[in-house]
C-alpha cells in the first residue's frame, strides 16, 4: 500500500472517484457494446446478403448501407460527440455523463463492427452456402445455420477488436464530460497537473483491454474446430 | 428422371460475357449413372447446377422427376431440392459441426426427432464405413473420409437424384476408386439416379452407364460409356479416351516408328480391336493353329467398361502371305476389327 501512496499520491486521495471511473468505463463499454453488437450484426448481415453474389443481392440497398457506414466511419469521434448532442438529449434525456456518451458510442462503433462482421462472413466458404442451398435451406436458414454459426470464431475476433476500440472511444467521451477513465485522466491528470492520475487511468484501461483480449482469444479458441 | 431441354446460360463478367451453356439438351433415365465429362470451362458444372437450380438457366426447361424446376416458387423449389442430393469437389462440410452434426443437418428439416435422427445418422455412417468417426470434426478427416461424410449427408433424406460435382477430383487415385465403388453401391442398393460431373475419363470408365462429352458449352457427343469409350466420334472424346486408356500409347509408338514396333521382312503388323465376348475365346491361338501363322504379341491393353472388355492387341504375324490373310479374315469374321499397320 505504501508503494501505491508513493507512486500514485493523488490517485490514492480519491480512490472512490477512480473506481467509479473504472465502473463508468465498463458500463459505457458494455451498454454501447451490447447495442452495437446487435446493430452491427444486422448491418453486417445486410451487407453480406445484399452484396455482390449475396443470397438477396440488391444493389440499391447495399449501396445505401455501404455509404452510410462509410460516412459514419469517416467522422472523427470527438466531432461526432458534439454533433450528436441534440439527438442524445432527445433520446437519453441528457447529453452529459455516462448516459450522454452512450448514443455517440453506439453510432461510433456500430459501423466499425458492421465491417468486421462483413469481413468475418466473407471468410465463410461460399461452398458451404451452396451445400446448404442444395439441401433446400432458405436464406433465413442459411443466416442462422451457416453464417451465424460457421462465422462465430471470426465474429468473436471482430467483437474483441470492436470492444477494444470502444474502450478507446469511451475515454474520448471524457472530453465532453462523459465520465469514465478518460474523464478522470483529463480532469485530474491534465487540468490539475496530477500526472499520476493519468498513469493510473492508463494502467486501468490497459488492464481492461487485456481482459477483453484474453476472453476473446478464449472464445475464438473454443469455437474453432 | 431428368430432362434438360435447350438450356442456355450466359455469365456477365467485366471482361465480357461468357456463354457457359448453349442450347444444351439431355435425358437421364431413372437409376442411371450419367457422366458429364469436359475440360474445365466446358460448362459441365454449370449444367449440374442447373439441375437443382443453384444456377437458373437463362432459357430452356429443366424437368426433374416430373417437376418443371424453372417454374417453381422459391418454397416449392426448396422442397424439390431436398429430393436432389449434391456432393462437391471441396466436400463443403460445415467445419463447426461434427460428423454427426453434418449428417444430421438435412434431417432436421425433414422433421425427424432426436432419436430417429441419431438412428439414421448411425445407419448412414455404417453404410459409408465411418462409424468410428461420429464425433470427429471435418478438419480431423482425410479427403476420402470427408467425401464419405458428404455422401452420407447428401443421401440422408433419401433423394431420388444425386449430383456429384467433380466429387473425386481432389482425391488420390486409390481413394477415387473407393469413393466410386461406394457411389456405385449406393446406386445399386437405393436406385438413386446419379449425375457425375468429371474431367477424368477414368471416372466414366469406372461407373457411368452413359456419358455426355461437353466442349465450349455444348454437348458434342453422347452415348453409352462403352460406345464412347470404344469408338469416340469427336476429337475431345477421343482425347479423353486416350487419357484413360493404355491403348493410346501404342498409337504414339506407331506414329514415332519406335523400334518397339519395327517388323522384319515378311511380317505383317496389325492392330486388333475387340469387344465383349470375343475376349473370352481363344481366337488368336485358334488362328495361329488353323492357318499356320506365328503371332508375336507386341502390345496389349484391356479395359473393362460397363462390364464389357475392350481389348487392343498389336500383333506381328509371320508366315505365308495367304495364311496371314486367311487368319485376318477369320478374326474379322469373329467380330475382331483388324487393321493392318505395316507390312
Amino acid at each position: 500500500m505504501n508503494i501505491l501512496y508513493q507512486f500514485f499520491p493523488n490517485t490514492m486521495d480519491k480512490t472512490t472517484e477512480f473506481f467509479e471511473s473504472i465502473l463508468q468505463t465498463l458500463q459505457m463499454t458494455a451498454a454501447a457494446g451490447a447495442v452495437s453488437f446487435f446493430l452491427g450484426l444486422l448491418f453486417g448481415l445486410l451487407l453480406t446478403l445484399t452484396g455482390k453474389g449475396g443470397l438477396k443481392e440488391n444493389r440499391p440497398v447495399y449501396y445505401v448501407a455501404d455509404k452510410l457506414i462509410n460516412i459514419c466511419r469517416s467522422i472523427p469521434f470527438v466531432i461526432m460527440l458534439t454533433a450528436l448532442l441534440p439527438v442524445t438529449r432527445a433520446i437519453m434525456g441528457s447529453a452529459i455523463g455516462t448516459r450522454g456518451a452512450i448514443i455517440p458510442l453506439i453510432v461510433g462503433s456500430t459501423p466499425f463492427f458492421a465491417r468486421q462482421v462483413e469481413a468475418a462472413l466473407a471468410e465463410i466458404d461460399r461452398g458451404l452456402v451452396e451445400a446448404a442451398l442444395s439441401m433446400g435451406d432458405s436464406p433465413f436458414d442459411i443466416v442462422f445455420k451457416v453464417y451465424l454459426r460457421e462465422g462465430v470464431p471470426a465474429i468473436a475476433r471482430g467483437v474483441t477488436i470492436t470492444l477494444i476500440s470502444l474502450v478507446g472511444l469511451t475515454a474520448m467521451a471524457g472530453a465532453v464530460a462523459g465520465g469514465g477513465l478518460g474523464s478522470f485522466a483529463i480532469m485530474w491528470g491534465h487540468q490539475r497537473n496530477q500526472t499520476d492520475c493519468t498513469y493510473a487511468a492508463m494502467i486501468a484501461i490497459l488492464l481492461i483491454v487485456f481482459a477483453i483480449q484474453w476472453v476473446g482469444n478464449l472464445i475464438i479458441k473454443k469455437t474453432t474446430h | 428422371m431428368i430432362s434438360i431441354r435447350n438450356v442456355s446460360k450466359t455469365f456477365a463478367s467485366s471482361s465480357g460475357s461468357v456463354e457457359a451453356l448453349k442450347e444444351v439438351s439431355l435425358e437421364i433415365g431413372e437409376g442411371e449413372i450419367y457422366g458429364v465429362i469436359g475440360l474445365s470451362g466446358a460448362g459441365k458444372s454449370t449444367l449440374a447446377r442447373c439441375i437443382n437450380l443453384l444456377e437458373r438457366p437463362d432459357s430452356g426447361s429443366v424437368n426433374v422427376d416430373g417437376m418443371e424446376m424453372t417454374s417453381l416458387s422459391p418454397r416449392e423449389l426448396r422442397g424439390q431440392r431436398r429430393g436432389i442430393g449434391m456432393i462437391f469437389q471441396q466436400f463443403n462440410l460445415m467445419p463447426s459441426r461434427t460428423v454427426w452434426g453434418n449428417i444430421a443437418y438435412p434431417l432436421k428439416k425433414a422433421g425427424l426427432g432426436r432419436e430417429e435422427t441419431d438412428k439414421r445418422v448411425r445407419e448412414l455412417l455404417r453404410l459409408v464405413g465411418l462409424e468410428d468417426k461420429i464425433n470427429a470434426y471435418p478438419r480431423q478427416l482425410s479427403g476420402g473420409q470427408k467425401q464419405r461424410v458428404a455422401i452420407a449427408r447428401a443421401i440422408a433424406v433419401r433423394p431420388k437424384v444425386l449430383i456429384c460435382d467433380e466429387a473425386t477430383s481432389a482425391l488420390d487415385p486409390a481413394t477415387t476408386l473407393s469413393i466410386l465403388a461406394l457411389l456405385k453401391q449406393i446406386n445399386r442398393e437405393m436406385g438413386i439416379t446419379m449425375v457425375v460431373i468429371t474431367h477424368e475419363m477414368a471416372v466414366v470408365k469406372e461407373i457411368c452407364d452413359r456419358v455426355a462429352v461437353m466442349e465450349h458449352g455444348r454437348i458434342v457427343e453422347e452415348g453409352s460409356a462403352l460406345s464412347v469409350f470404344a469408338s469416340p466420334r469427336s476429337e475431345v472424346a477421343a482425347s479423353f479416351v486416350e487419357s484413360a486408356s493404355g491403348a493410346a500409347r501404342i498409337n504414339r509408338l506407331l506414329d514415332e516408328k519406335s523400334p518397339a514396333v519395327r517388323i522384319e521382312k515378311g511380317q505383317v503388323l496389325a492392330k486388333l480391336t475387340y469387344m465383349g465376348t470375343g475376349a473370352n475365346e481363344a481366337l488368336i491361338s485358334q488362328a495361329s493353329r488353323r492357318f499356320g501363322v506365328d503371332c508375336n504379341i507386341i502390345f496389349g491393353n484391356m479395359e473393362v467398361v460397363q462390364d464389357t472388355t475392350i481389348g487392343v492387341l498389336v500383333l506381328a504375324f509371320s508366315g505365308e502371305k495367304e495364311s496371314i490373310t486367311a487368319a485376318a479374315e477369320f478374326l474379322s469374321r469373329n467380330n475382331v476389327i483388324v487393321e493392318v499397320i505395316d507390312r
Side-chain angles (χ1 to χ4, degrees):
Chain A
M1 279 309 248
N2 281 335
I3 294 172
L4 285 178
Y5 276 105
Q6 194 186 331
F7 286 104
F8 299 100
N10 299 306
T11 311
M12 293 308 282
D13 275 350
K14 36 189 168 297
T15 43
T16 326
E17 282 106 317
F18 182 61
F19 285 116
E20 193 157 311
S21 299
I22 293 178
L23 198 67
Q24 284 171 345
T25 292
L26 292 176
Q27 276 172 346
M28 285 189 284
T29 309
V35 178
S36 291
F37 177 76
F38 285 108
L39 289 178
L41 218 49
L42 216 64
F43 271 97
L45 280 168
L46 185 75
L47 288 172
T48 305
L49 292 173
T50 59
K52 201 168 177 339
L55 285 172
K56 290 276 169 198
E57 192 170 333
N58 187 323
R59 286 287 174 83
V61 173
Y62 180 82
Y63 186 86
V64 171
D66 186 57
K67 290 290 169 285
L68 189 71
I69 286 170
N70 280 351
I71 290 167
C72 287
R73 284 193 67 188
S74 6
I75 302 170
F77 187 65
V78 188
I79 296 174
M80 179 110 74
L81 278 170
T82 35
L84 283 173
L85 277 177
V87 183
T88 306
R89 203 170 282 129
I91 299 176
M92 303 296 283
S94 161
I96 54 159
T98 313
R99 284 169 66 87
I102 286 176
I103 298 283
L105 285 173
I106 292 169
V107 178
S109 66
T110 297
F112 182 74
F113 184 54
R115 286 287 182 222
Q116 298 283 337
V117 173
E118 189 190 15
L121 299 184
E123 268 177 42
I124 293 174
D125 190 348
R126 171 81 202 149
L128 298 184
V129 176
E130 203 169 46
L133 283 174
S134 80
M135 288 187 275
D137 273 4
S138 65
F140 185 81
D141 293 325
I142 290 170
V143 164
F144 287 97
K145 287 156 77 183
V146 180
Y147 283 141
L148 293 186
R149 168 128 189 192
E150 301 304 329
V152 167
I155 292 172
R157 205 186 319 130
V159 170
T160 310
I161 297 170
T162 308
L163 280 180
I164 289 170
S165 90
L166 192 54
V167 172
L169 296 186
T170 64
M172 249 190 274
V176 291
L181 286 162
S183 212
F184 184 84
I186 290 170
M187 209 183 337
W188 304 103
H190 183 67
Q191 286 162 358
R192 291 183 179 74
N193 220 15
Q194 298 176 355
T195 329
D196 67 284
C197 290
T198 310
Y199 291 125
M202 195 178 79
I203 291 166
I205 285 185
L206 276 178
L207 290 177
I208 294 173
V209 168
F210 285 155
I212 293 171
Q213 187 72 60
W214 183 75
V215 173
N217 286 347
L218 201 70
I219 294 172
I220 294 166
K221 208 173 160 189
K222 285 269 177 219
T223 54
T224 306
H225 297 290
Chain B
M1 192 61 164
I2 302 171
S3 160
I4 294 173
R5 295 250 165 81
N6 304 323
V7 162
S8 295
K9 174 84 189 175
T10 303
F11 291 106
S13 75
S14 49
S15 54
S17 61
V18 182
E19 274 186 274
L21 296 176
K22 299 171 200 165
E23 298 279 317
V24 171
S25 299
L26 55 83
E27 296 283 333
I28 301 173
E30 193 169 348
E32 203 172 22
I33 303 186
Y34 194 95
V36 177
I37 191 167
L39 298 169
S40 55
K44 54 195 192 304
S45 276
T46 308
L47 180 63
R49 279 166 175 68
C50 281
I51 296 172
N52 58 5
L53 243 64
L54 285 181
E55 293 289 357
R56 187 170 278 277
D58 297 333
S59 63
S61 95
V62 178
N63 194 300
V64 180
D65 197 20
M67 286 274 212
E68 178 52 46
M69 300 292 283
T70 53
S71 59
L72 296 175
S73 72
R75 177 186 287 270
E76 289 169 329
L77 177 61
R78 290 198 291 271
Q80 192 69 0
R81 275 181 184 157
R82 271 166 230 145
I84 307 173
M86 189 165 185
I87 56 174
F88 307 84
Q89 180 172 4
Q90 293 306 328
F91 324 119
N92 295 346
L93 297 175
M94 307 285 174
S96 78
R97 294 166 202 263
T98 59
V99 166
W100 191 95
N102 269 287
I103 301 175
Y105 190 105
L107 294 169
K108 218 170 273 175
K109 261 273 148 71
L112 260 66
R114 177 92 189 177
E115 227 163 88
E116 287 168 295
T117 302
D118 189 61
K119 199 172 142 241
R120 179 80 179 131
V121 170
R122 284 170 196 279
E123 200 175 290
L124 286 158
L125 278 173
R126 207 158 31 242
L127 176 70
V128 300
L130 282 178
E131 289 149 288
D132 54 328
K133 298 289 181 192
I134 192 161
N135 292 317
Y137 283 95
R139 192 205 270 273
Q140 301 164 314
L141 303 177
S142 69
Q145 291 171 332
K146 281 184 201 167
Q147 197 59 290
R148 281 168 187 273
V149 175
I151 290 170
R153 176 177 72 172
I155 62 169
V157 292
R158 300 187 168 85
K160 293 198 174 116
V161 175
L162 180 65
I163 303 170
C164 310
D165 184 20
E166 296 277 12
T168 58
S169 301
L171 304 174
D172 62 61
T175 314
T176 295
L177 286 180
S178 78
I179 293 291
L180 293 178
L182 176 63
L183 289 174
K184 200 163 189 173
Q185 180 197 344
I186 289 167
N187 166 262
R188 286 208 182 123
E189 286 175 9
M190 302 171 62
I192 297 184
T193 307
M194 291 188 181
V195 184
V196 177
I197 308 296
T198 185
H199 65 269
E200 295 168 300
M201 199 63 192
V203 170
V204 173
K205 186 171 98 183
E206 206 60 41
I207 60 168
C208 293
D209 301 316
R210 281 201 299 148
V211 61
V213 183
M214 285 193 76
E215 191 181 28
H216 306 311
R218 286 184 210 281
I219 292 178
V220 291
E221 187 167 345
E222 208 243 0
S224 77
L226 183 65
S227 70
V228 171
F229 212 85
S231 48
R233 282 168 282 126
S234 64
E235 213 169 291
V236 231
S239 78
F240 275 123
V241 169
E242 202 163 290
S243 71
S245 159
R249 196 175 160 74
I250 190 65
N251 294 332
R252 266 201 305 282
L253 292 177
L254 293 170
D255 283 346
E256 289 164 8
K257 301 215 183 310
S258 152
V261 294
R262 201 166 292 156
I263 49 165
E264 282 161 33
K265 208 166 161 50
Q267 282 187 320
V268 174
L269 191 67
K271 184 165 125 183
L272 276 55
T273 310
Y274 54 88
M275 246 207 280
T277 52
N280 300 328
E281 291 166 32
L283 285 175
I284 307 287
S285 71
Q286 278 182 35
S288 173
R289 260 182 285 129
R290 275 168 70 170
F291 303 98
V293 291
D294 285 325
C295 304
N296 179 18
I297 298 177
I298 291 177
F299 177 90
N301 183 68
M302 283 190 199
E303 306 286 348
V304 181
V305 181
Q306 290 183 286
D307 300 323
T308 303
T309 309
I310 303 172
V312 173
L313 284 179
V314 173
L315 299 179
F317 290 99
S318 37
E320 296 293 324
K321 207 175 165 193
E322 292 74 29
S323 313
I324 294 175
T325 311
E329 272 165 12
F330 166 76
L331 290 168
S332 295
R333 271 200 306 282
N334 286 283
N335 298 321
V336 176
I337 301 162
V338 182
E339 295 167 75
V340 173
I341 299 166
D342 201 1
R343 59 170 87 225

